Amino acid sequence: MSGNMNLTLKVWRQKNSQTAGKFVTYKAEGISPDMSFLEMLDVVNESLTKNNGEPIHFDHDCREGICGSCSLYINGRPHGPKKAITTCQLHMRTFSDGETITIEPWRAAAFPVVKDLGTDRSAFDRIQQAGGFISVNTGAAQDANAILIPKVIADEAFNSATCIGCGACVAACKNASAMLFTSAKITQLGLLPQGQPERYSRVQAMVAQMDEEGFGNCTNTGACEAECPKEITLMNIGRMNNDYYSAKLFREEHAHDHTGGE
Amino acid sequence: MSLDAKIPQGPLAEKWSKHKFNLKLVNPANKRKYDVIIVGTGLAGASAAASLAELGYNVKAFCFQDSPRRAHSIAAQGGINGAKNYQNDGDSIYRLFYDTIKGGDYRAREANVYRLAENSVNIIDQCVAQGVPFAREYGGLLDNRSFGGSQVSRTFYARGQTGQQLLLGAYSALNRQIHLGKVKMYTRTEMLDVVVVDGQAKGIITRNLKTGEIESHGGHAVLLATGGYGNVFYLSTNAIGSNVTAAWRAHKRGAFFANPCYTQIHPTCIPVTGDHQSKLTLMSESLRNDGRVWAPKTAEVAEKLRKKEITAAQVKEDERDYFLERKYPSFGNLVPRDVASRNAKEMTDEGKGVGTTGLAVYLDFAEAIQRLGEDTVRAKYGNLFDMYYQITDENPYKQPMRIYPAVHYTMGGLWVDYNLSTNVPGLYAMGECNFSDHGANRLGASALMQGLSDGYFVIPYTIGDYLATIGPKAIDTSHPAFEKTKQEVIAYNNKLLALKGNKTVVEYHRELGHIIWEYCGMARTEEGLIKAKGLIKALKADFWVNAIVTGENDEVNAALERAGRVADFIELGELMIDDALMRRESCGGHFRLESQTPEGEALRDDDNYAFVAAWEFKGENQEEELHKEELIFENVKLSQRSYK
Ligand SMILES: Cc1cc2nc3c(=O)[nH]c(=O)nc-3n(C[C@H](O)[C@H](O)[C@H](O)COP(=O)(O)OP(=O)(O)OC[C@H]3O[C@@H](n4cnc5c(N)ncnc54)[C@H](O)[C@@H]3O)c2cc1C
Ligand code: SF4
Ligand code: FES
């Protein structure tokens, strides 16, 4: 069943990270308001394919707002105009018939374009690899209930843990800072008793990696919090800074390389 | 070819610990001389990669996403079982074992299922130690909920995002090993074939999804953890990228494929609205704790609802059929998934479906809202209600939700023995891509458990036994088998790229999905299956002439990726039909209309079908050969399932 919306799309097309990109205009016709934004692009791609055109590339997988793959900059906002949802959850009824929609990839030096609307966000993985974990080997963990965690703490840690690693915070930030993303993991683990032993070495290692990847600094604009689909709050950045300065000032002994032990 | 499941002797409760003792060990100093390839970094793959690297092996891990954190496991909602008996409600390893065997309709191996229940206890400990923020009680202890048909509260959860938290836990353990240099991670890399040298798996061929480069990777063992094949149905609750390619290509290199016709269909999904739809969204089963399922009593009323002449609220009590409560008074709305799904289909088949397409029944919260108040309902299910509203633009606080069953999980997969080894030595399969542990009707909260059990607690022991036998001699990727397999992969991709017809790959996928859903979905008949077989054969022939595949190899090319996956789904589809045809009985998710009890329940035929069906590939366009692994039940008595 198709619908009756007709739209004009201005889409960023770029063959790969080495070549320059440009906007190309497409018509999206017979769009149903019940389609998700990505399904609308599927329809456009089907017709491009049939007419010897090259389909528009974009990253996506779960289409349920949880994997963090989809990453479109729609009319100047990451994940489009609605609050607290990802692009894959955005439906076409949000737009009106005849509208022109501009679609771009995330723009940040640390996220090079792979093709068209897809970017390389592996810098996020490297930040996690620098220390976003608790060093525990498989087997012989103590009984789970031996670690008591008050419900409010568990809930807070969970709120930070819901970050999907989409990168909207970076895309929204005028400095392309990764502070919201990095601080979410630091906060989650820093709140839990299991996370204490490596708390200060973790923050230093992760912040160092973040800088090395070329992300900018935080100037407290708050665009990240406003655009985050999982509503990760600026409080996380506060906690991270706090741990970071404690580590710097009082815990120089922790400043060694974070190896995680073996 | 005899199928030896290698189930250890001795009493059920001692099999695994005895087996662990009997397995050969690799000397710690030698472990670093072994390379292990792991394809897939969802729950099964990431947990295995981290655990094997901790032990000292060199691990090369692969996934097609840009980051391991995006594997499909991230989307699991409800929870993970663990026989902890923290609630003191009488749970035990044996009870979890028993429920799982029964829930699988006696089509799973006793020994495997017992080990799964045994390991479940350690999984929870492991995850908590890693910092997985499970739900807690005010006193600081872990909270549990009950799930799908079970009488005890043994499900651990992290809001509706348990899969996400478990995967992020495994991902962080994996990251630690990447940091330490023990795992080399290859993202955006798709495995396209297995390399078999002298009958043993020694490596894989991959395509770099950024550059198109086809590469060979050698390893002393190859572990597949590549997830399930639910997307053969086109519409399913799986992530768009989930596919069968790795398992299917391994199958074509000799690994047996077991029980392909077993699919789990989940009753509470958001219904299809139109052909544009690319996937279906699951609504957690927990909704059926408070929501009441109904359809109009007559087709006339249903017709009026479909035409929007009346609203659901205007349908009077005596015109409503609360069919689950009526037919299953003791379980009511909480009957198991296959029963709830089949009954919804029956309603829509009788013309009593609602919504514009008529393919839906109601899940009504009006009574719960009246009884508990809107705020309480919001606190319990708020995020699900929001999601439903987002997708359908209908407010479930004001009108009943529309639900319909959707494909959710596949229980079939590569055949493996007790050590998780396929019948090809050196080739292992873990998680949803193997067939083990679930039988015919997996219950909720047990797939996550299986993935982590395989990855954290089974493979680290069993793989040593094989590696110790073959020794640490370096793998030679210049062996002709590597070059030959690589050339075959290149030729196959070129054949796909040469397809410049008039029908898109997506259209073929959708058509395939329609056929399988119609004839090998919630109910199957001999006649329908025979028809489907012909339809798929024709579809396959047409694909290789009329499909369009755009672009080139040496660039990012999603069209080529999709074409390869759909071609494999078509072949798998043929095997699913053969498997369903052969199994002239009903069990769990496999419902043959010819085989039902007078009450309309699935009727097993234990005398003739208490076996695992393991299929052997015999060449392109050849019928596959069936091998049977008899299932022996020493500890549980086979009985008819009844939820009356
Ligand atoms: C919506 C939904 C909700 C669910 N909820 C629950 C629940 O509450 N409880 C429960 O127990 N189960 C649940 N399940 C089932 C459960 O999520 C899955 O069975 C499980 O996550 C599968 O894990 P896996 O590690 O086997 O595979 P996956 O997580 O699917 O991982 C597959 C991996 O393989 C890689 N891969 C695949 N093919 C290739 C290839 N050719 N080359 C390279 N890499 C490849 C992918 O990149 C990925 O890393 C749910 C499923 C769905 C769809
Ligand atoms: S903090 Fe929010 S915006 Fe940033 S990566 Fe996480 S979920 Fe995305
Ligand atoms: S596709 Fe997974 S979050 Fe959008």
Side-chain angles (χ1 to χ4, degrees):
Chain A
M1 187 186 29
S2 53
N4 47 16
M5 291 172 80
N6 294 317
L7 304 156
T8 304
L9 308 181
K10 288 174 67 182
V11 183
W12 185 259
R13 300 299 309 254
Q14 183 172 345
K15 200 169 163 53
N16 54 43
S17 58
Q18 273 84 52
T19 48
K22 62 169 193 294
F23 280 106
V24 178
T25 304
Y26 299 95
K27 292 272 174 232
E29 282 164 354
I31 299 302
S32 154
D34 286 335
M35 289 179 189
S36 72
F37 199 85
L38 300 185
E39 284 166 349
M40 182 275 292
L41 285 179
D42 290 343
V43 169
V44 172
N45 276 346
E46 283 288 282
S47 100
L48 279 173
T49 304
K50 289 205 162 194
N51 294 303
N52 293 321
E54 218 200 315
I56 302 160
H57 184 81
F58 58 93
D59 278 329
H60 64 111
D61 201 9
C62 73
R63 298 204 174 187
E64 284 193 15
I66 192 82
C67 75
S69 297
C70 60
S71 47
L72 303 183
Y73 207 76
I74 302 165
N75 288 342
R77 296 183 63 181
H79 299 301
K82 289 186 101 171
K83 228 185 121 50
I85 58 170
T86 54
T87 301
C88 57
Q89 296 171 298
L90 179 67
H91 281 72
M92 293 314 291
R93 62 182 81 94
T94 313
F95 300 90
S96 30
D97 187 25
E99 211 176 315
T100 298
I101 306 175
T102 307
I103 314 172
E104 297 163 80
W106 283 175
R107 303 231 186 233
F111 290 161
V113 170
V114 171
K115 181 174 179 173
D116 297 340
L117 302 168
T119 56
D120 180 350
R121 288 168 282 180
S122 51
F124 268 11
D125 287 324
R126 290 188 293 272
I127 294 174
Q128 303 284 26
Q129 281 152 19
F133 45 77
I134 289 170
S135 296
V136 48
N137 283 359
T138 305
Q142 64 183 321
D143 183 84
N145 259 349
I147 307 171
L148 289 179
I149 305 174
K151 181 170 162 46
V152 278
I153 299 287
D155 286 351
E156 282 251 349
F158 180 86
N159 286 340
S160 299
T162 58
C163 164
I164 57 174
C166 63
C169 45
V170 174
C173 175
K174 61 180 196 289
N175 309 318
S177 162
M179 295 276 256
L180 197 64
F181 166 80
T182 308
S183 66
K185 188 49 79 188
I186 285 169
T187 302
Q188 178 206 339
L189 299 181
L191 282 168
L192 296 171
Q194 307 92 301
Q196 297 315 308
E198 294 162 294
R199 180 167 168 188
Y200 297 99
S201 53
R202 176 182 307 120
V203 68
Q204 294 186 71
M206 290 181 78
V207 168
Q209 188 65 36
M210 193 173 79
D211 292 343
E212 196 173 307
E213 296 290 345
F215 291 103
N217 253 315
C218 174
T219 49
N220 291 314
T221 314
C224 54
E225 182 188 67
E227 297 294 6
C228 170
K230 297 297 152 184
E231 306 191 287
I232 305 287
T233 64
L234 289 175
M235 177 77 97
N236 288 272
I237 299 187
R239 284 185 194 274
M240 175 170 91
N241 284 336
N242 211 30
D243 277 4
Y244 185 72
Y245 292 116
S246 310
K248 271 259 173 282
L249 290 173
F250 309 115
R251 304 196 188 243
E252 273 305 324
E253 74 271 25
H254 286 287
H256 61 76
D257 174 44
H258 186 102
T259 61
E262 203 173 357
Chain B
M1 171 97 212
S2 78
L3 274 181
D4 182 2
K6 302 220 176 76
I7 296 166
Q9 297 298 312
L12 190 61
E14 289 164 29
K15 282 184 196 291
W16 179 228
S17 44
K18 275 199 174 151
H19 189 61
K20 279 194 281 192
F21 180 76
N22 289 331
L23 289 167
K24 287 192 203 76
L25 295 175
V26 176
N27 176 307
N30 274 342
K31 289 206 174 94
R32 70 180 115 85
K33 297 183 189 153
Y34 288 96
D35 297 329
V36 177
I37 288 175
I38 299 182
V39 189
T41 46
L43 282 176
S47 57
S51 304
L52 293 177
E54 282 161 13
L55 287 173
Y57 298 110
N58 302 312
V59 175
K60 301 181 197 173
F62 298 80
C63 74
F64 63 74
Q65 287 95 350
D66 65 330
S67 164
R69 68 176 293 145
R70 308 204 205 282
H72 163 68
S73 293
I74 199 102
Q77 298 176 352
I80 178 167
N81 282 337
K84 282 288 204 180
N85 195 27
Y86 282 159
Q87 308 302 326
N88 197 26
D89 54 5
D91 200 11
S92 63
I93 289 171
Y94 192 86
R95 195 180 290 273
L96 176 54
F97 154 76
Y98 180 80
D99 288 353
T100 310
I101 282 280
K102 178 172 168 234
D105 230 348
Y106 307 94
R107 291 294 175 263
R109 274 186 209 139
E110 278 190 344
N112 280 58
V113 175
Y114 194 88
R115 174 175 68 188
L116 179 66
E118 223 176 321
N119 286 344
S120 71
V121 178
N122 304 336
I123 293 171
I124 305 303
D125 297 341
Q126 179 70 24
C127 295
V128 166
Q130 285 170 347
V132 170
F134 282 122
R136 297 265 169 177
E137 314 242 19
Y138 283 98
L141 297 170
L142 287 151
D143 193 11
N144 290 119
R145 54 162 69 145
S146 72
F147 218 71
S150 130
Q151 318 272 34
V152 291
S153 277
R154 61 160 75 100
T155 308
F156 293 78
Y157 66 101
R159 272 181 226 163
Q161 295 152 35
T162 313
Q164 177 192 33
Q165 293 311 318
L166 294 174
L167 183 63
L168 293 181
Y171 163 73
S172 69
L174 173 64
N175 278 335
R176 175 170 162 245
Q177 296 303 322
I178 294 172
H179 177 81
L180 293 169
K182 288 304 291 179
V183 176
K184 175 144 177 45
M185 184 70 221
Y186 298 81
T187 57
R188 289 196 202 256
T189 307
E190 181 168 28
M191 171 200 143
L192 292 177
D193 221 330
V194 188
V195 181
V196 180
V197 179
D198 302 329
Q200 301 197 337
K202 294 291 179 200
I204 59 171
I205 307 294
T206 59
R207 178 170 181 271
N208 178 326
L209 301 183
K210 278 165 88 170
T211 63
E213 199 164 335
I214 306 290
E215 291 165 333
S216 305
H217 303 271
H220 292 85
V222 175
L223 278 48
L224 301 184
T226 49
Y229 53 84
N231 278 349
V232 65
F233 288 85
Y234 184 69
L235 287 182
S236 81
T237 63
N238 288 8
I240 302 288
S242 297
N243 69 87
V244 77
T245 289
W248 191 254
R249 307 264 169 110
H251 175 55
K252 289 175 115 176
R253 295 281 172 201
F256 290 179
F257 207 104
N259 297 341
C261 80
Y262 289 171
T263 305
Q264 191 183 68
I265 296 178
H266 199 291
T268 49
C269 300
I270 302 179
V272 184
T273 56
D275 267 350
H276 61 259
Q277 208 146 347
S278 57
K279 77 160 285 163
L280 296 172
T281 302
L282 179 129
M283 304 287 287
S284 169
E285 186 159 48
S286 61
L287 289 173
R288 286 192 286 140
N289 279 311
D290 284 304
R292 296 179 70 194
V293 178
W294 65 274
K297 262 192 188 149
T298 63
E300 291 73 54
V301 175
E303 169 94 30
K304 284 190 192 150
L305 282 163
R306 287 198 289 273
K307 289 190 174 149
K308 297 206 170 114
E309 289 166 13
I310 54 169
T311 66
Q314 286 167 335
V315 181
K316 294 194 206 64
E317 261 323 290
D318 63 358
E319 290 176 331
R320 299 175 176 201
D321 181 5
Y322 294 92
F323 53 93
L324 296 178
E325 298 170 31
R326 170 170 60 81
K327 289 167 78 175
Y328 309 94
S330 58
F331 275 75
N333 293 299
L334 287 172
V335 290
R337 294 175 176 181
D338 59 325
V339 178
S341 298
R342 242 179 352 256
N343 277 280
K345 180 177 189 301
E346 225 165 79
M347 289 295 131
T348 59
D349 284 352
E350 289 169 11
K352 295 173 189 164
V354 298
T356 42
T357 60
L359 287 178
V361 295
Y362 287 128
L363 178 62
D364 202 336
F365 285 85
E367 195 210 74
I369 290 173
Q370 214 168 37
R371 179 165 41 94
L372 306 165
E374 191 170 315
D375 286 345
T376 309
V377 171
R378 192 182 304 277
K380 272 174 124 170
Y381 308 114
N383 58 343
L384 294 169
F385 278 39
D386 289 348
M387 185 168 84
Y388 181 85
Y389 179 57
Q390 199 68 251
I391 293 174
T392 62
D393 206 27
E394 290 172 6
N395 182 347
Y397 294 100
K398 300 272 176 276
Q399 61 193 103
M401 287 182 175
R402 289 172 296 110
I403 54 161
Y404 200 62
V407 170
H408 170 60
Y409 178 88
T410 46
M411 287 85 81
L414 292 177
W415 183 88
V416 289
D417 66 15
Y418 190 71
N419 293 328
L420 304 182
S421 171
T422 69
N423 57 304
V424 177
L427 182 67
Y428 290 77
M430 309 176 289
E432 195 175 334
C433 83
N434 76 23
F435 88 102
S436 71
D437 299 14
H438 303 305
N441 174 41
R442 184 192 69 95
L443 301 164
S446 54
L448 299 178
M449 181 168 67
Q450 188 220 337
L452 292 178
S453 169
D454 287 358
Y456 284 135
F457 298 113
V458 179
I459 202 76
Y461 293 97
T462 59
I463 194 137
D465 196 54
Y466 171 74
L467 295 176
T469 317
I470 61 165
K473 197 167 147 267
I475 300 298
D476 178 15
T477 49
S478 64
H479 188 285
F482 275 90
E483 190 53 29
K484 181 164 178 283
T485 314
K486 187 173 163 179
Q487 290 310 325
E488 282 167 8
V489 167
I490 292 172
Y492 188 80
N493 278 2
N494 286 341
K495 206 171 127 190
L496 286 168
L497 283 165
L499 292 173
K500 301 289 174 218
N502 51 29
K503 221 163 118 180
T504 67
V505 167
V506 175
E507 288 174 292
Y508 283 100
H509 194 175
R510 199 181 284 133
E511 235 168 84
L512 173 72
H514 278 311
I515 299 170
I516 308 235
W517 176 250
E518 183 66 25
Y519 301 107
C520 197
M522 276 186 281
R524 298 115 192 237
T525 63
E526 178 109 17
E527 197 193 340
L529 289 163
I530 290 170
K531 179 161 179 209
K533 200 171 158 137
L535 290 172
I536 299 180
K537 201 170 170 204
L539 187 76
K540 181 174 165 185
D542 194 60
F543 176 94
W544 286 104
V545 179
N546 289 321
I548 317 172
V549 182
T550 54
E552 307 296 327
N553 177 60
D554 58 356
E555 59 179 357
V556 175
N557 189 342
L560 174 63
E561 292 164 32
R562 184 112 189 216
R565 293 172 191 171
V566 171
D568 291 339
F569 275 137
I570 293 176
E571 293 181 12
L572 166 74
E574 294 184 288
L575 186 64
M576 286 174 79
I577 302 289
D578 284 343
D579 189 48
L581 255 177
M582 173 282 298
R583 194 168 280 279
R584 285 198 172 87
E585 64 159 352
S586 293
C587 53
H590 167 65
F591 192 73
R592 283 285 294 260
L593 285 176
E594 302 93 339
S595 183
Q596 44 183 314
T597 64
E599 292 89 39
E601 300 302 330
L603 180 64
R604 290 194 323 267
D605 175 356
D606 293 329
D607 291 340
N608 293 306
Y609 293 97
F611 61 76
V612 174
W615 297 89
E616 180 181 0
F617 182 78
K618 301 298 273 186
E620 297 296 337
N621 298 314
Q622 303 283 312
E623 296 280 314
E624 300 216 357
E625 185 182 339
L626 174 65
H627 301 267
K628 296 178 186 175
E629 179 203 327
E630 297 299 329
L631 291 167
I632 298 154
F633 294 90
E634 291 171 331
N635 298 278
V636 295
K637 211 171 130 280
L638 275 64
S639 61
Q640 177 66 34
R641 282 195 315 155
S642 169
Y643 295 92
K644 285 280 160 192

